[in-house]
Amino acid sequence: MSPNKKEQHWQRVFQLQTESGLTKSEFCKHNQITVSSFYAWAKKLSVQPPQKLNQQKVIPLVFPETISDQQLTLSLPNGYQFSFPASLEPSKLQQFLSVLSA
């Protein structure tokens, strides 16, 4: 098998593993692939092991009494920033966060 064909084969293997919903170990066992080969090819092809989506979790915030003109700023890893009045009810903030995590 040519090097290019091997790379295509392993890229397809990684795609199938991601789509399978199985852990890497389970997928390898089910498909008779050694785990060491799986990770060696992942490293060789610079493929980051797939990460599950929506791994974010909401951490409750407790707001002490604040001056009404203070702002709460939420900064996300993707660069977006949201500002809210510090007097915002926690339930409203929770609703906003649930929309973001959907």
Side-chain angles (χ1 to χ4, degrees), residues 66-68 70 84-90:
T66 58
I67 301 171
S68 62
Q70 289 183 332
F84 306 95
S87 60
L88 181 68
E89 293 178 30

Side-chain angles (χ1 to χ4, degrees), residues 5-58:
K5 292 278 185 190
K6 284 183 184 180
E7 289 179 11
Q8 289 175 354
H9 166 77
W10 280 99
Q11 287 173 344
R12 180 70 178 140
V13 167
F14 300 135
Q15 180 182 3
L16 290 170
Q17 186 277 320
T18 301
E19 293 170 357
S20 73
L22 299 172
T23 65
K24 292 165 200 61
S25 179
E26 292 169 336
F27 178 83
C28 289
K29 184 176 181 179
H30 187 267
N31 290 283
Q32 299 175 344
I33 299 170
T34 63
V35 175
S36 59
S37 294
F38 183 92
Y39 281 102
W41 273 99
K43 184 176 180 180
K44 183 175 182 173
L45 297 176
S46 299
V47 173
Q48 297 298 320
Q51 298 178 354
K52 292 184 179 181
L53 300 177
N54 295 329
Q55 290 184 339
Q56 298 174 351
K57 60 182 177 179
V58 176

